Amino acid sequence: MNNPLGPQPLRLGVNIDHVATIRNARGGGFPDPVRAAKLAEDAGCDGITAHLREDRRHISDGDIERLIDQLKVPLNFEMAATDEMLDIALEHKPHAACLVPEKREERTTEGGLDAAGGHNHLKPYIDALNNAGIRVSLFVEPDPRQLDAAVSLGAPVVELHTGAYCDARQVTREAQLERIIVAAVHAGDLGLECHAGHGLTFDTVAPVASLPQIAELNIGHFLVGEAIFGGLDSAIRRMRALMDKARADSTNQRSA
Ligand code: PXP
């Protein structure tokens, strides 16, 4: 069953982790990720994403507290399924929590969560977050098996990992995009809210944004990098415009 109400509006969540990465390179207080989050709000984002890692390599506990206090848009709290992170989520009650795999040695979140193989480990965390009224999403590979597992775990949202699509060379990118299309349709059929993100840029965002099942894109590293050249405000506005155009074009094509 694909969404009977037709295509959903596409939200942009801005991930501010790497503003904190730059701050932490010098150990001081700037650039401040909370200032970046407020600027992102003013530039028209629909939500802020922040990943509190076990090693606190970018976002800190204090950043999460200030985001909760100061944001007007919803906070999507990215977290590993650990007791420490669950306690922090339950203390702050963000709008949403996105469960991600976390390896200490990785540079970024490499690959999705094994929702299928990790059922017994994940289930109590998902139950506790659901019971607290926090909207749970699972960051998974665009693999229908993982979406079936999200349903059996009781997670209402999945976020499809777009890293392999973004990293692929042109020849193999089509095949990676096809995986995302198949997964987005399957998510719609299962009644899951479908998000996507990781590695998206001005060049790669449109084909993903055009998929009617996708309700939200979460984008960080590229926007923070672009901010060096033209400012964060302009990078976010351009990304938003590309997303909106891709979505409008695909809606028009389908209704023509
Ligand atoms: N979504 C999730 C679940 C992520 O872990 C990340 C990276 O932290 C992103 C989206 C954003 O990826 P990027 O920073 O490459 O845009």
Side-chain angles (χ1 to χ4, degrees), residues 7 209-210 212 244-256:
S210 70
D244 290 347
K245 180 171 185 317
R247 178 57 62 94
D249 287 351
S250 72
T251 306
N252 292 340
Q253 266 170 22
R254 273 192 313 278
S255 57

Side-chain angles (χ1 to χ4, degrees), residues 67-254:
L67 288 167
I68 289 282
D69 283 348
Q70 298 182 35
L71 280 184
K72 293 192 273 268
V73 294
L75 176 67
N76 176 30
F77 178 66
E78 256 187 56
M79 56 178 273
T82 63
D83 291 348
E84 181 198 18
M85 289 302 148
L86 179 63
D87 286 347
I88 294 171
L90 295 180
E91 181 190 341
H92 293 299
K93 296 217 170 44
H95 166 77
C98 179
L99 293 181
V100 299
E102 207 176 284
K103 289 191 229 108
R104 216 172 274 183
E105 65 281 10
E106 71 190 351
R107 240 189 253 167
T108 180
T109 312
E110 294 163 357
L113 202 62
D114 184 6
H119 183 102
N120 292 348
H121 173 71
L122 293 169
K123 183 74 177 141
Y125 293 98
I126 294 168
D127 287 349
L129 292 164
N130 277 336
N131 289 338
I134 299 168
R135 197 153 169 82
V136 182
S137 78
L138 304 184
F139 188 43
V140 293
E141 289 298 319
D143 169 353
R145 252 179 4 113
Q146 297 295 346
L147 308 185
D148 295 339
V151 172
S152 68
L153 280 162
V157 184
V158 286
E159 179 167 332
L160 304 179
H161 196 307
T162 51
Y165 156 73
C166 292
D167 292 345
R169 289 166 189 266
Q170 204 54 46
V171 248
T172 50
R173 192 172 275 169
E174 284 302 314
Q176 293 297 341
L177 180 62
E178 191 54 33
R179 290 178 70 216
I180 295 172
I181 295 170
V182 168
V185 169
H186 193 59
D189 289 344
L190 292 172
L192 290 165
E193 182 174 316
C194 187
H195 300 176
H198 203 94
L200 291 168
T201 67
F202 293 151
D203 291 335
T204 52
V205 76
V208 181
S210 70
L211 305 178
Q213 297 83 5
I214 293 190
E216 179 174 306
L217 298 180
N218 286 303
I219 309 179
H221 183 257
F222 177 78
L223 291 173
V224 174
E226 274 299 296
I228 294 168
F229 303 106
L232 187 57
D233 179 86
S234 126
I236 292 170
R237 286 180 197 275
R238 183 161 169 213
M239 187 62 85
R240 163 105 264 164
L242 290 167
M243 287 165 51
D244 290 347
K245 180 171 185 317
R247 178 57 62 94
D249 287 351
S250 72
T251 306
N252 292 340
Q253 266 170 22
R254 273 192 313 278

